Amino acid sequence: MPQSLSNFIESCLPYIRSSWREIQEQAIQLVGLLHHHGLNTNVDEEKERSALEVTSSEKIIHCLKDDQISIRIRAAEALGNIFSEP
């Protein structure tokens, strides 16, 4: 299962730009949680982990400028999860 976490994260990334707010919020939250609880401790390749963190965080950072406050809150929480210790 740990080997699949990067695939799970990559499959969630397109949904961050969804036009449906509920899906967008959940995708942002899921990416943050997967990084925090799984990827930081289970991926052997440091380079792969770093590249995925950068890609995920870049997409989430764009959500900090969203009109909806709920999206901005989820984005801030997700960034905290990505870059915090598990």
Side-chain angles (χ1 to χ4, degrees):
M1 185 85 130
Q3 302 85 1
S4 301
L5 286 175
S6 60
N7 291 336
F8 294 152
I9 292 170
E10 289 175 0
S11 66
C12 288
L13 292 177
Y15 294 103
I16 289 175
R17 305 299 281 162
S18 175
S19 59
W20 293 346
R21 295 294 177 194
E22 295 83 13
I23 291 180
Q24 188 179 14
E25 288 177 13
Q26 297 303 315
I28 292 168
Q29 185 176 22
L30 184 58
V31 168
L33 291 173
L34 286 173
H35 273 287
H36 181 71
H37 292 293
L39 194 62
N40 289 340
T41 59
N42 294 322
V43 172
D44 295 330
E45 292 291 327
E46 181 71 22
K47 190 174 183 179
E48 179 185 351
R49 182 185 62 81
S50 296
L52 195 52
E53 279 181 358
V54 169
T55 302
S56 299
S57 61
E58 285 175 350
K59 291 184 182 275
I60 293 173
I61 286 171
H62 289 292
C63 296
L64 291 173
K65 300 175 185 176
D66 198 271
D67 294 337
Q68 295 288 323
I69 192 163
S70 61
I71 299 294
R72 295 192 309 258
I73 289 170
R74 297 277 190 202
E77 290 172 345
L79 288 172
N81 284 329
I82 290 172
F83 295 108
S84 67
E85 294 294 322

